[in-house]
Amino acid sequence: MSDLDSQVKDASDELEPGGQTTFAGLSHLVASAAELPTIEALQAEIDAIAQAADTPARARAAVVELLMRTLTSGRDTVRRAMIDEPQAGLRLARTTAHMTDLVVAAVWHYATAYLHHAPIRTKGERLAIVAVGGYGRGEMAPFSDVDLLFVTPWKRTPWAESVVESMLYILWDLKLKVGQAVRSVDECLRLGAEDITIRTNLLEKRLIAGDRAPFERLDRKLWDDLFLKTGPEFVEAKLEERDKRHERHGGSRYLLEPNIKEGKGGLRDLQTLHWISRYLYRVDKAWELCEMGVFEREEVALFAEAAKFIWAVRCHLHDVAGRAQEQLTFDRQIEIAARMGYHDAGGRMGVEHFMHAYFRHAKNVGDLTRIFSSALEAQHAKAMPRFSMLLRALSFRSGASAAAGAFVVRDGRLATRDDQVFRNDPVNLLRLFREAARLDAQIHPAALRLVTQSLDLIDDRLRENAAANSVFMEMLTDRQNAEWLMRLMNETDVLGRFIPEFGRIVSMMQFNMYHHYTVDEHIIQTIRVLNRIEQGAAGEEHPVSTDIAKSGLNRRVLYTALLFHDIGKGDPRDHSELGAEIAERLCPRLGLDDAETELVAWLVRNHLLMSDVAQKRDIADPVTVRDFARTIQSPERLRLLLVLTVCDIRGVGPGVWNNWKAQLLRKLYWDTRAVLTGGADVDTTQAARVQDAKDALAALLPDWDAAAVEAECDRHYPHYWLGLEPELHKVFAELSREGAQGKIISRFEQDPDRDATTACIYLQDHPGIFSRMAGAFALAGASVVDARTYTTADGMACSAFWIQDAEGKPFEASRLPRLQRTIERTVRGEVVARDALREKRREKPRELSFRVPTRIVFDNEASELYTVIEVNARDRLGLLHVLARTLTDCNINIFSAIIATYGEHAVDVFYVKDLFGLKIRNPQKQRLIERRLFDAIEAVMPALPATAAAATDEPSRSPK
C-alpha cells in the first residue's frame, strides 16, 4: 500500500465506525478505553446500588446520580480534548456518542435487571435498543438529540412498554433530548417505505443494548425488501431534499454566517453523499468508494478532511453556546477561531483565516457532490436507467444539439470527446465553459471532474496565451451567462488558477456585519447584477443604469472593473489602490488597449467614490457636486462609475440596497452630468439660487397674498433656501401659521421614493434642540439617515429629519402618533434622552464581536459655508444624539447631519459653524472638539485605539 493509500485509509477510517473498539461498535475516540468508563464497571456500580436499597425502585435516584456523573465526566473528557486537539472533530463526535451509548446501555441494565426483571421472556418479548440517525452513525455534537428506536419482533407487549417507559423517564431526568419510537420489524419496513426521513434513519443504525435477534432481522429485511429495490427512488428524494434545504438556508455556501449543519457545503451535504453511497453500494468506509471507482484517492482524503473540520467546528459551537446551535454567528466565530488555533497574520484577523478554511472545505464538499454524481451516473446508466434520467434532468438546461471539435453533447450535457482534450490543448479548459454557454447546456459532471484533474495545465504559458485570454473575455462579457460562467469556473478553481490574484481572495471573508458573502462571491454577485441590468430585468429598480446600458457603454471595461474592484482585499494596503495596480498589470494580458486599461484602473481605484460622496456629503451643496465633477472629469467615467456603484452595493447582500441610496445616487449622477456636459453653471451666484427658491415657494402657495409670501421669505437666511427643496419650504411655511410661542408643531409624511419618512418639526429655537430631537428619534426606534435644521430671523427652528425603521423602510402610519408624542415630550424636557437611552442600551453578543476604530475628520474644503466633521465609530443606539449633544456642549451649531451605516460601522457627518457663524479652522479648537467626541463615544462604547485626521479634503473610505 502506498503512502497516499495509507493516508486515505487512515483518514476515512476515522470517518466511519470500525474496529469494534467499543461494545456498540465505535472506534477512534479522543481517549483510550482505559481512560473512559466501561459498561461492565457501570453495571457493577448499578448492581451495588440496587442491592443495597430496600427495593429496586428506591435505588432510582442514586442510579440517576451515578449516570449524571458519568455523563459529566465524559463531557469533561471531550471538552479537554477540544482544547488539546481542537481539530479532532470526528473523534470528538464519536466519543460523545460513546458516552451516550454507555448511559443508554446502563439504563437498559437497570430497567431490565431490577425495575422490570423477567427471568424468562418469550420470543415476543425480545426488545432491541437501537441508535438511529446521527446517533446511529456514531456522530454527536455535545447537545445533539439522542435518537432511539425500540424494536420488537411483532406487536408490543406490556413488559416492553414498561421497560421503554422507565428508560425514557430516566433519560429525561438526565436532561437528554431523546427522540424515540417503539416499532415492530414490520412497522419499520412499512413506515420506511412511506417516509424517506424514517428510511434514512433506518439506514444508519447500531445495536446499543437488548436482544440482537430483532435488530438482525430488521437489518436483513430492510436490505432485502426495501433498500436494494428502491435505489433510484431514494437518490431522487435525497437530492430533491438537498435542493430545498439549500434554498431555505440562503442558496449559497459563502454566506458569512453559515448554518454548518443544514447550509450548502455543510455537514448535511456530506451526510447525503454518505447516505446515497451506503444505500447504493452498502459500503461502511469511505475509502471503499475509492476501491469501487467512485472517488479517487485524493478525493476521499478531501471528504475525510472536510468531515473532520466541520465536525470540529460543530462540537466547539455547541460547547461555547451551551446548546444545540448550528448557525456560525460572528460572535461564535471569534471564539472558535481562537480555540482552533487561528491567529492574526498577514494583515488579516485570525477569524478571517478560520472562516477562509471553513469556506474552502465547504467548496470541496460541492466539488465532491459533483464528482459523486458523475460516478453514479457512469456506473448506473445501464443497470438503473431511471437513475440516469434523474441525473440528466437535474443538470439539463435546454435542447442543445451538438458541439464540434473537442466536445460533444450527450443527453443534453456538454462532455469531452475523450480524456486527452485538455492535455492536447489547454485552451480547451476555457473553451469548455464558453461552449456550454453557447449551447445553453450544462456541463457533464465527468467533464468537470476532468477539469479539476487538469488544473496543473493552467500555468504562465496558458495565462499569456492570446486565444485563452480572448475566450476568457468573451465569457466575462457574456450578457446572458457571465455570472453562471464565472461561478462555475470559480467552483472548479479554473478562475483562480487563470487569474491567480483572484485565487487569493477565493473563500476570503470580510469580518463585518455589512457584507453577506465572501469576497469572491461578492464579485460574482456584482456580475449577476450587471447581467440583469443588461438584460433589461432591473429596469424598475435601476432605471438610470438600465438606460445607460441600453445607450451603449464599454462593456469590456465595466465587466473587467467589476472583476477587479475588490481583488485587492486581504492586504494591509488600501484595496482600491492595490486593485488598480493589479488591473494595470492584467488588463493588457486580457486584450484591453491602453485607454481601456487606464479606465479600468481608474474605476477600480475610485469604485467607492460615488457611494461615499452620495451617502456622506450634502449633495445639495453645489460645492460637493463641483468637486465630484472635477474628480470624474468625463461623462463616460460618470456613466461607468454609476453602474459599477449600483452593482457593487447590490452585490453586498439582501436588504442593503434601498430607495434612499437609489435617489442619492441618481441626484448626484444627474447634477454631475449637467456640470460635465455644460448644462449647469456651478458658479451661479448664491443670491440667484436663493431667489429661485423663493420664487418656487411663491408658486407653491397660490392662496397666499404677496405680502404674506414676502414676510415668510424674509424670515429665513440664505442657507435655508439652499439646503431644502421647495416642497419642504412650503411645509414649514404652512407649519409657521399653526405655530405659537412654546408650541411644537410637526408633520410626518411618507416618502416612498426615498424609502423614508420625512419629519418636519417647527418650534422655538434653543441650544441643544438638535441633540434632543436626535435622542427622541432613537428612543422611538427611528434611524435618522439625514437631518437639517435652520433658525429663522424671529428665533424659530425649522428642522427636517429623514427617518427609517429598523428594516430600512418608512415608518408605518400607525406608529407615527407615538413617534410625535415621544419627540414632543423629549423636546420639552419631560424625558431626558441621555438617561432613557442608557437604560435601553443592551449590547448584543453578536455585535460585541466587532471593533470599529473611532476616526474623526475635519474638512474645511468640502463646503463654502460650513466645516464638515465626519465621525466614524461603531454603531449603537443613540450615537447621533451623543455626538450632537457633545458638539452643542462645545458651542458648535449643527446645520445638517448625514448618517450612513455599513453594518456595525456608522459614519455621522455634521455640517457645522461656531457661535460666530464661522468655520472651525483653529487647530487647537479642532483638537478640543475631537477629544470631547472621543470621550463621549468612549463613555457609551469602549473602542479600539483610534486614529484621527484633521483639516483634510479627502473623504474617508466606505468599509467595503
Side-chain angles (χ1 to χ4, degrees):
M1 181 180 291
S2 69
D3 290 341
L4 181 57
D5 287 329
S6 178
Q7 292 171 9
V8 168
K9 186 176 184 301
D10 290 344
S12 59
D13 272 346
E14 187 178 321
L15 194 65
E16 300 291 347
Q20 301 298 310
T21 303
T22 71
F23 70 93
L26 297 183
S27 63
H28 303 94
L29 310 182
V30 295
S32 66
E35 298 175 277
L36 296 171
T38 65
I39 186 60
E40 292 79 10
L42 267 181
Q43 290 173 348
E45 289 191 67
I46 290 173
D47 291 342
I49 292 171
Q51 291 165 12
D54 295 339
T55 64
R58 291 183 179 178
R60 187 181 186 283
V63 169
V64 170
E65 183 181 351
L66 167 67
L67 296 179
M68 183 63 80
R69 288 200 308 270
T70 302
L71 270 179
T72 302
S73 172
R75 288 168 179 164
D76 289 343
T77 299
V78 171
R79 190 170 290 112
R80 286 193 299 272
M82 286 185 192
I83 305 303
D84 297 338
E85 300 180 76
Q87 300 204 31
L90 282 163
R91 293 194 292 125
L92 294 170
R94 209 171 295 289
T95 305
T96 301
H98 170 62
M99 296 307 301
T100 308
D101 291 348
L102 287 173
V103 169
V104 171
V107 172
W108 160 263
H109 173 70
Y110 175 58
T112 55
Y114 297 101
L115 295 179
H116 308 287
H117 182 57
I120 301 175
R121 285 185 284 145
T122 67
K123 289 184 178 180
E125 289 178 322
R126 290 177 179 175
L127 183 64
I129 315 303
V130 181
V132 294
Y135 177 33
R137 192 170 54 251
E139 295 172 357
M140 296 182 71
F143 291 92
S144 291
D145 294 355
V146 179
D147 292 327
L148 290 174
L149 175 64
F150 297 88
V151 183
T152 64
W154 302 292
K155 65 180 183 179
R156 304 174 199 175
T157 65
W159 176 84
E161 289 182 344
S162 298
V163 169
V164 170
E165 183 179 12
S166 294
M167 288 185 66
L168 289 176
Y169 275 111
I170 294 175
L171 293 173
W172 289 332
D173 286 347
L174 293 171
K175 311 301 181 185
L176 294 174
K177 187 177 179 182
V178 182
Q180 53 84 27
V182 184
R183 297 183 182 127
S184 68
V185 172
D186 289 340
E187 285 176 325
C188 288
L189 263 69
R190 177 174 57 81
L191 293 173
E194 297 171 354
D195 189 308
I196 200 68
T197 301
I198 293 175
R199 194 187 313 179
T200 305
N201 280 338
L202 291 172
L203 183 64
E204 300 180 299
K205 58 191 177 301
R206 288 183 300 121
L207 179 66
I208 305 301
D211 299 293
R212 179 166 292 277
F215 173 80
E216 291 179 342
R217 180 167 176 262
L218 172 64
D219 186 63
R220 184 173 60 254
K221 290 185 70 65
L222 280 172
W223 283 106
D224 293 344
D225 299 347
L226 181 59
F227 294 165
L228 294 178
K229 298 177 180 179
T230 56
E233 173 193 321
F234 181 80
V235 174
E236 180 177 2
K238 298 314 290 184
L239 293 179
E240 181 180 355
E241 178 183 273
R242 179 200 63 185
D243 292 342
K244 291 180 178 178
R245 173 168 45 79
H246 288 171
E247 187 176 347
R248 286 197 308 272
H249 292 277
S252 172
R253 65 175 57 91
Y254 300 114
L255 294 172
L256 295 191
E257 292 186 293
N259 186 305
I260 62 172
K261 180 182 178 183
E262 303 286 352
K264 194 171 185 178
L267 277 176
R268 195 64 86 204
D269 281 1
L270 277 174
Q271 290 162 0
T272 298
L273 297 183
H274 169 76
W275 292 328
I276 294 174
S277 62
R278 180 163 174 74
Y279 206 98
L280 296 179
Y281 298 106
R282 206 169 180 175
V283 295
D284 289 321
K285 297 181 181 296
W287 60 266
E288 292 177 310
L289 293 173
C290 182
E291 295 179 346
M292 301 180 69
V294 176
F295 283 141
E296 300 289 343
R297 295 170 299 170
E298 295 85 350
E299 293 159 356
V300 172
L302 285 177
F303 193 115
E305 289 302 318
K308 289 165 60 179
F309 182 89
I310 300 175
W311 261 111
V313 174
R314 190 180 183 212
C315 288
H316 285 289
L317 181 57
H318 276 218
D319 188 54
V320 299
R323 58 185 177 86
Q325 179 175 329
E326 308 300 347
Q327 186 173 17
L328 190 54
T329 54
F330 288 127
D331 53 320
R332 304 303 184 194
Q333 290 172 16
I334 291 181
E335 188 170 355
I336 294 172
R339 279 180 165 219
M340 293 183 68
Y342 291 90
H343 307 290
D344 297 356
R348 296 173 60 203
M349 300 169 62
V351 66
E352 293 175 328
H353 290 291
F354 162 64
M355 291 305 295
H356 181 264
Y358 173 83
F359 290 123
R360 292 299 298 186
H361 284 295
K363 178 185 176 300
N364 288 340
V365 172
D367 294 342
L368 291 167
T369 301
R370 186 171 56 249
I371 291 166
F372 190 68
S373 298
S374 170
L376 289 184
E377 181 171 1
Q379 295 190 13
H380 292 273
K382 293 182 179 179
M384 301 169 62
R386 180 184 170 195
F387 180 68
S388 182
M389 290 172 62
L390 162 69
L391 289 174
R392 288 201 297 274
L394 289 173
S395 56
F396 183 72
R397 295 181 81 197
S398 75
S401 56
F407 311 113
V408 294
V409 173
R410 296 194 186 103
D411 302 320
R413 288 173 298 174
L414 192 64
T416 56
R417 189 170 294 279
D418 56 54
D419 291 346
Q420 297 302 311
V421 294
F422 301 138
R423 297 287 165 186
N424 294 338
D425 185 356
V427 179
N428 285 332
L429 282 163
L430 296 167
R431 292 188 182 120
L432 172 70
F433 298 95
R434 182 190 63 181
E435 193 70 6
R438 185 182 72 82
L439 295 171
D440 197 24
Q442 286 279 10
I443 301 175
H444 197 286
L448 291 175
R449 186 179 195 178
L450 187 60
V451 167
T452 303
Q453 295 169 344
S454 305
L455 290 174
D456 61 297
L457 299 175
I458 305 179
D459 54 16
D460 288 341
R461 186 168 56 181
L462 181 64
R463 296 182 191 107
E464 297 299 329
N465 184 292
N469 283 286
S470 176
V471 171
F472 178 80
M473 286 302 297
E474 186 179 337
M475 292 188 290
L476 177 61
T477 57
D478 186 323
R479 59 169 39 92
Q480 299 296 328
N481 298 295
E483 177 217 354
W484 180 74
L485 288 164
M486 294 301 111
R487 187 180 306 284
L488 191 52
M489 284 196 291
N490 191 38
E491 291 283 347
T492 54
D493 282 335
V494 171
L495 183 55
R497 292 294 187 98
F498 191 67
I499 301 179
E501 293 83 356
F502 189 92
R504 189 183 62 83
I505 53 101
V506 169
S507 301
M508 179 185 290
M509 83 165 300
Q510 303 167 82
F511 191 69
N512 57 59
M513 292 172 61
Y514 181 60
H515 290 90
H516 292 240
Y517 304 111
T518 57
V519 179
D520 56 322
E521 177 65 12
H522 162 67
I523 289 175
I524 292 172
Q525 289 285 340
T526 66
I527 293 172
R528 179 188 68 84
V529 177
L530 182 52
N531 267 175
R532 293 187 70 248
I533 289 173
E534 285 208 288
Q535 294 162 12
E540 186 174 338
E541 303 165 275
H542 309 297
V544 179
S545 295
T546 299
D547 288 343
I548 291 172
K550 287 180 180 178
S551 65
L553 45 70
N554 192 321
R555 304 178 62 256
R556 284 155 51 93
V557 165
L558 187 54
Y559 276 99
T560 307
L562 283 176
L563 183 67
F564 290 158
H565 80 280
D566 273 353
I567 205 168
K569 286 285 182 72
D571 190 272
R573 296 175 54 193
D574 184 297
H575 80 278
S576 300
E577 288 294 334
L578 180 57
E581 293 175 11
I582 292 172
E584 289 170 344
R585 186 171 67 252
L586 292 184
C587 284
R589 191 197 103 187
L590 295 174
L592 279 70
D593 60 31
D594 290 346
E596 289 175 321
T597 297
E598 187 276 333
L599 188 49
V600 170
W602 184 90
L603 286 168
V604 173
R605 184 175 285 111
N606 294 281
H607 74 272
L608 297 173
L609 176 63
M610 195 167 193
S611 175
D612 278 350
V613 173
Q615 297 184 70
K616 300 181 186 177
R617 293 294 181 263
D618 182 1
I619 58 177
D621 189 335
V623 175
T624 300
V625 178
R626 182 191 65 199
D627 291 346
F628 180 66
R630 284 176 178 169
T631 302
I632 300 299
Q633 295 184 350
S634 76
E636 182 187 21
R637 282 183 173 182
L638 178 66
R639 295 164 72 239
L640 289 167
L641 185 58
L642 173 68
V643 180
L644 186 148
T645 302
V646 168
C647 295
D648 193 13
I649 296 175
R650 287 305 300 259
V652 168
V656 175
W657 179 266
N658 55 33
N659 284 345
W660 178 261
K661 293 175 183 174
Q663 65 86 20
L664 290 176
L665 288 171
R666 288 170 195 157
K667 177 173 173 52
L668 180 59
Y669 171 79
W670 288 118
D671 290 352
T672 307
R673 183 177 182 274
V675 172
L676 293 172
T677 57
D681 182 5
V682 295
D683 295 323
T684 300
T685 64
Q686 175 177 306
R689 288 187 278 117
V690 169
Q691 188 58 51
D692 288 343
K694 291 179 178 180
D695 293 343
L697 174 63
L700 291 171
L701 298 172
D703 298 333
W704 286 35
D705 58 45
V709 172
E710 183 177 358
E712 172 65 17
C713 291
D714 289 344
R715 297 174 63 235
H716 298 285
Y717 297 106
H719 52 263
Y720 170 81
W721 301 105
L722 300 173
L724 294 176
E725 299 169 353
E727 289 77 10
L728 291 182
H729 294 150
K730 175 177 181 287
V731 171
F732 283 114
E734 294 170 346
L735 292 178
S736 70
R737 290 197 161 186
E738 304 174 27
Q741 191 74 18
K743 189 176 180 182
I744 302 171
I745 306 296
S746 62
R747 183 180 299 177
F748 288 70
E749 295 180 351
Q750 305 291 31
D751 189 347
D753 290 339
R754 299 185 182 185
D755 265 348
T757 298
T758 304
C760 294
I761 304 169
Y762 183 80
L763 71 168
Q764 186 75 35
D765 189 28
H766 58 78
I769 192 67
F770 185 94
S771 65
R772 284 194 182 188
M773 287 188 284
F777 284 118
L779 285 172
S783 176
V784 178
V785 292
D786 200 349
R788 287 127 199 277
T789 186
Y790 304 95
T791 303
T792 65
D794 53 355
M796 300 299 288
C798 301
S799 299
F801 289 79
W802 287 265
I803 59 175
Q804 295 176 329
D805 63 16
E807 303 299 321
K809 299 296 181 183
F811 265 70
E812 295 179 3
S814 60
R815 299 178 62 188
L816 295 181
R818 177 177 177 272
L819 184 60
Q820 289 177 289
R821 289 194 300 271
T822 300
I823 290 167
E824 291 179 8
R825 294 184 63 210
T826 305
V827 171
R828 291 195 189 101
E830 297 173 15
V831 175
V832 180
R834 182 189 329 190
D835 298 338
L837 287 170
R838 186 182 300 119
E839 294 176 4
K840 290 190 69 172
R841 287 191 185 105
R842 294 291 185 273
E843 293 285 4
K844 299 177 181 178
R846 179 173 178 267
E847 297 173 359
L848 283 171
S849 307
F850 301 97
R851 293 291 181 265
V852 178
T854 300
R855 182 171 180 265
I856 300 169
V857 179
F858 289 80
D859 188 343
N860 278 307
E861 305 301 324
S863 171
E864 289 182 349
L865 300 175
Y866 308 104
T867 292
V868 177
I869 301 178
E870 177 182 312
V871 181
N872 291 261
R874 207 189 88 199
D875 191 26
R876 67 166 305 141
L877 178 66
L879 177 62
L880 176 63
H881 165 70
V882 169
L883 300 176
R885 189 187 72 236
T886 303
L887 290 173
T888 300
D889 292 344
C890 292
N891 296 318
I892 300 299
N893 288 326
I894 300 170
F895 290 88
S896 65
I898 300 167
I899 294 86
T901 305
Y902 308 89
E904 76 283 1
H905 185 157
V907 182
D908 289 10
V909 179
F910 301 91
Y911 281 68
V912 303
K913 291 181 180 180
D914 64 15
L915 285 179
F916 303 102
L918 301 175
K919 288 187 176 184
I920 305 165
R921 297 187 182 275
N922 186 295
Q924 186 174 353
K925 179 69 171 176
Q926 289 182 0
R927 285 194 294 271
L928 173 63
I929 296 169
E930 177 186 277
R931 186 68 264 161
R932 295 275 183 86
L933 289 170
F934 268 117
D935 291 344
I937 295 169
E938 187 74 20
V940 297
M941 175 175 44
L944 289 179
T947 54
T952 178
D953 59 359
E954 176 72 14
S956 65
R957 312 292 285 195
S958 296
K960 283 194 78 294

